[in-house]
Amino acid sequence: MGKVFGAVAGVGAVGALYAMKKSWDPLPSVKAAGFTTIDLSAAEPNKLMVEKWRGKPIFVLKKTPEMVAKQSAEQTARDIVVNGDSFLICIGLCTHLGCIPAYREAKLDFKCACHGGEFDSSGIETKAPPPSPMVIPPFNVKGNTVVLGEEGEAYRKMKEAGVLA
Amino acid sequence: MAHFTKATSVHDWLNQRLAIDTLQRVLSKEYWIPKNINFLWAMGMVLAFTFGILLVSGIFLLMYYQPNVDTAFDSVNYTIMREVDFGWLWRHVHAVAASVVFLIIYIHMLTGIYYGSYKKGREMIWISGMLLFVAFSAEAFSGYMLPWGQMSYWAGMVITNLFSLGSLEFNGLVEWIRGDYVPGQAFLDRFFMLHVLLIPLAILGVIGLHFGALRIPHVNNQDGEEFDFEEEAAKYKAGNKKESKVIAFANDFLSKDMFVVSIYLIFFFYLVFWHFGFAMDPINFDPADGLKTPPHIYPEWYFLWSYEILRPFPKDPGLVAFGFAQVIFFLLPWFDRSPNAVPASRRGLFFFWFWAMVIDLIVLTAMGKLPPVGVYSLIGKVAAYAFIALWVILPFITRNEKRV
Ligand code: FES
């Protein structure tokens, strides 16, 4: 009797826990709302544009030719080139605890006010606590626009080169 | 079936069915409290009262609050504050009580530490008390989300991000907790549920455990004196109240407890009516905006010390230090190696340890509020290291303590 009860209770408990776990997962409608198209023709050099994708802010920064010229190889590897212009496109959340860093046009960098983290104009962290660069979301370049949420050719190349995070 | 006789009074009728005389005896008339304790021992009753106040005011807020990302902010700041008669009162009572309850918890905890009330058979009282602290922290955090202002949103963002556990990048876990990529409707709904149902239920349960844990080892006293409660109780019952070292909980001790509670309530309502602002963050009067972070994010004052332990380190060590600060107090009964359950003033080095800890917590709290720049980050860093160092040396300084 005891064993039968134990078996029934065990199966029931596992089933209930599974259902509870799944009920807390993001809803399908939330997961599906995944694609955003950004028109880059309006972007001005060295002016930060902020868009929204999956509820998160997306930083779009068109770089000036001087900025591109001064970049290191590591920085250039993160550039997204659209119609000959270089862009930084990344999720605008600090990789420390997720605050939104502010762009400082004069210093060409991002400052996270929460705990003092800093990133350069390619989103690479230059001052702790953030442990890694700001994340580049999946993108696909189409003419003068990028679609976020879609993995295009350039994105896959970046992924292979390991420069996304 | 038990034998019932015709009742002679309402009291007798109830007594036959609910044994109210026995209950009253066990729970109050013959529940023994040492005579030799000071007003700091009344903090338990003060906390019970404050919890009651939170419950009642919460029920009134619950009737008009709307857990929806579009209407939550206005339901609090417009409907409850302006439309509902006395809505402002419930809100201020609730907010002030939520803040003050932590002040009293800290006093209660530090009293326990100072008088060694976690030692020798009283470990479960301490552990259940720490569980209550954790439950109250979760309750406070989930409640802080509900007005859906800027601080709510960003505190929710930052705290839930902690669950990615640093470089382990458990982003799936974070999204599971939120039910979305960012705090949103699913997040607000589930935190609402946690705040009004699940966590309060857990708190009630743990309060029961905390009280139960007191029954066998009994309450400590001001000198840490060990005495035979049964013997002392027998003296008391024989009418020898003067010589007995104990008194009954009700009505003897309760009258003193209630005196402290009434003084506290004067202070409490003074805050509610004249200084409610301290419990509210100005930034939370801006509606939540996922595309704009406030310049400087900090938690409510009662979490500042542990927040400051997180802040001065790089991400992973910071998380480890933060986790350390959350659990270490649970282990106090084992870190303190001395057998003495007496006031810190009679324990040599431990006395200095106690006050160093108090000062360190105050420094951490102050630095946690200030922006993380220049000399403040340095002081914060030193205080965070000091916190860890104090715990590391505790077993060594208490091991050789003289027996008193
Ligand atoms: S969230 Fe940016 S430094 Fe902490």
Side-chain angles (χ1 to χ4, degrees):
Chain A
M1 288 282 257
K3 278 183 194 152
V4 173
F5 174 72
V8 172
V11 171
V14 170
L17 283 177
Y18 180 73
M20 288 177 187
K21 148 78 173 76
K22 293 301 271 183
S23 297
W24 267 42
D25 276 345
L27 300 174
S29 57
V30 168
K31 284 194 207 155
F35 304 97
T36 305
T37 305
I38 301 177
D39 184 359
L40 295 178
S41 45
E44 284 176 53
N46 201 24
K47 280 260 182 311
L48 187 72
M49 211 161 98
V50 182
E51 303 285 334
K52 198 168 172 179
W53 171 70
R54 292 191 181 167
K56 293 179 184 171
I58 297 294
F59 285 169
V60 177
L61 181 67
K62 182 172 181 176
K63 297 183 177 175
T64 61
E66 300 84 68
M67 286 164 81
V68 178
K70 268 195 257 162
Q71 281 184 163
S72 69
E74 190 196 354
Q75 290 173 311
T76 309
R78 291 171 59 87
D79 281 352
I80 296 174
V81 182
V82 180
N83 273 350
D85 292 321
S86 292
F87 288 88
L88 161 71
I89 300 179
C90 66
I91 297 180
L93 294 176
C94 177
T95 47
H96 181 224
L97 290 175
C99 296
I100 301 179
Y103 188 60
R104 299 190 290 197
E105 278 165 28
K107 294 193 166 172
L108 302 179
D109 72 353
F110 294 92
K111 171 94 189 167
C112 179
C114 295
H115 316 99
E118 282 171 20
F119 301 84
D120 66 19
S121 58
S122 294
I124 299 171
E125 83 284 10
T126 51
K127 182 163 172 272
S132 52
M134 286 191 275
V135 178
I136 297 175
F139 66 90
N140 194 7
V141 181
K142 284 185 186 162
N144 231 344
T145 65
V146 289
V147 181
L148 299 183
E150 227 171 77
E151 301 196 4
E153 186 58 41
Y155 179 78
R156 269 197 291 275
K157 281 213 186 101
M158 275 192 185
K159 199 172 187 179
E160 275 151 32
V163 292
L164 293 177
Chain B
M1 205 174 97
H3 182 67
F4 291 91
T5 54
K6 183 165 168 41
T8 54
S9 64
V10 176
H11 177 93
D12 185 45
W13 191 89
L14 283 171
N15 200 28
Q16 289 193 45
R17 285 154 183 83
L18 291 174
I20 52 175
D21 281 350
T22 314
L23 271 180
Q24 192 185 28
R25 189 160 52 74
V26 175
L27 294 180
S28 63
K29 289 216 170 108
E30 293 185 18
Y31 174 36
W32 306 108
I33 306 286
K35 271 185 192 165
N36 182 20
I37 58 184
N38 58 36
F39 79 98
L40 288 168
W41 267 263
M43 292 306 140
M45 188 56 83
V46 169
L47 280 172
F49 246 82
T50 312
F51 184 65
I53 290 173
L54 280 165
L55 216 60
V56 173
S57 55
I59 286 170
F60 279 88
L61 293 174
L62 189 51
M63 289 189 275
Y64 284 98
Y65 173 73
Q66 298 177 19
N68 179 298
V69 289
D70 297 322
T71 53
F73 185 83
D74 282 341
S75 75
V76 173
N77 290 301
Y78 181 73
T79 312
I80 290 175
M81 288 304 284
R82 287 159 190 255
E83 285 202 294
V84 179
D85 260 349
F86 286 98
W88 57 270
L89 178 68
W90 302 119
R91 187 189 185 192
H92 289 164
V93 163
H94 201 71
V96 170
S99 203
V100 168
V101 86
F102 278 91
L103 177 66
I104 309 294
I105 288 178
Y106 285 138
I107 295 176
H108 197 51
M109 271 172 75
L110 290 170
T111 306
I113 298 177
Y114 187 87
Y115 289 102
S117 302
Y118 49 90
K119 317 187 73 158
K120 263 196 272 179
R122 296 200 177 91
E123 293 91 341
M124 272 318 293
I125 306 175
W126 178 257
I127 291 173
S128 56
M130 282 308 299
L131 283 175
L132 274 176
F133 176 72
V134 171
F136 267 97
S137 302
E139 182 67 358
F141 172 62
S142 54
Y144 198 53
M145 295 301 106
L146 302 184
W148 211 238
Q150 270 294 64
M151 244 349 174
S152 302
Y153 184 92
W154 288 99
M157 181 76 121
V158 169
I159 299 292
T160 45
N161 265 339
L162 289 177
F163 288 89
S164 68
L165 301 183
S167 312
L168 296 180
E169 297 274 354
F170 282 164
N171 294 321
L173 179 62
V174 175
E175 281 158 19
W176 181 72
I177 292 171
R178 291 179 189 156
D180 202 337
Y181 302 104
V182 289
Q185 184 59 52
F187 177 91
L188 180 57
D189 273 335
R190 64 187 54 176
F191 272 70
F192 176 64
M193 177 284 289
L194 289 172
H195 186 71
V196 303
L197 178 69
L198 195 55
I199 303 173
L201 269 185
I203 287 178
L204 285 171
V206 184
I207 288 178
L209 176 66
H210 194 55
F211 286 177
L214 268 166
R215 272 325 266 240
I216 308 291
H218 289 279
V219 104
N220 192 15
N221 57 70
Q222 217 174 301
D223 292 325
E225 185 190 353
E226 261 186 69
F227 48 77
D228 186 334
F229 272 81
E230 276 167 42
E231 210 173 276
E232 300 302 327
K235 278 191 216 160
Y236 180 96
K237 281 201 272 184
N240 212 346
K241 294 192 186 179
K242 229 184 186 151
E243 260 170 51
S244 172
K245 288 179 177 159
V246 299
I247 49 176
F249 176 69
N251 296 322
D252 309 0
F253 180 67
L254 208 54
S255 57
K256 188 175 163 190
D257 245 10
M258 283 306 153
F259 173 75
V260 178
V261 169
S262 57
I263 300 286
Y264 160 75
L265 287 178
I266 293 172
F267 161 74
F268 178 81
F269 282 102
Y270 166 73
L271 290 180
V272 168
F273 290 116
W274 285 280
H275 285 286
F276 52 84
F278 90 94
M280 308 213 176
D281 196 291
I283 296 175
N284 227 17
F285 288 95
D286 288 331
D289 181 351
L291 294 184
K292 207 175 112 223
T293 333
H296 175 195
I297 294 190
Y298 45 80
E300 289 292 87
W301 70 267
Y302 38 86
F303 292 144
L304 284 170
W305 68 271
S306 55
Y307 173 72
E308 184 59 21
I309 289 174
L310 164 84
R311 204 164 64 162
F313 300 104
K315 188 166 179 174
D316 289 335
L319 270 170
V320 172
F322 183 69
F324 175 86
Q326 306 313 304
V327 300
I328 199 67
F329 277 98
F330 275 92
L331 299 177
L332 179 60
W334 294 276
F335 266 78
D336 183 346
R337 306 278 297 277
S338 128
N340 298 319
V342 297
S345 57
R346 285 163 47 197
R347 290 185 53 190
L349 283 176
F350 182 80
F351 178 72
F352 297 102
W353 184 89
F354 175 83
W355 287 109
M357 180 56 84
V358 173
I359 291 166
D360 195 44
L361 290 175
I362 292 172
V363 171
L364 283 169
T365 301
M367 292 305 126
K369 184 84 191 191
L370 294 166
V373 289
V375 64
Y376 300 142
S377 16
L378 181 69
I379 298 175
K381 202 172 219 163
V382 171
Y385 278 118
F387 179 84
I388 296 169
L390 279 171
W391 281 99
V392 172
I393 62 169
L394 181 60
F396 299 102
I397 62 169
T398 49
R399 196 173 50 191
N400 301 321
E401 197 174 296
K402 293 196 296 293
R403 226 196 151 96
V404 290

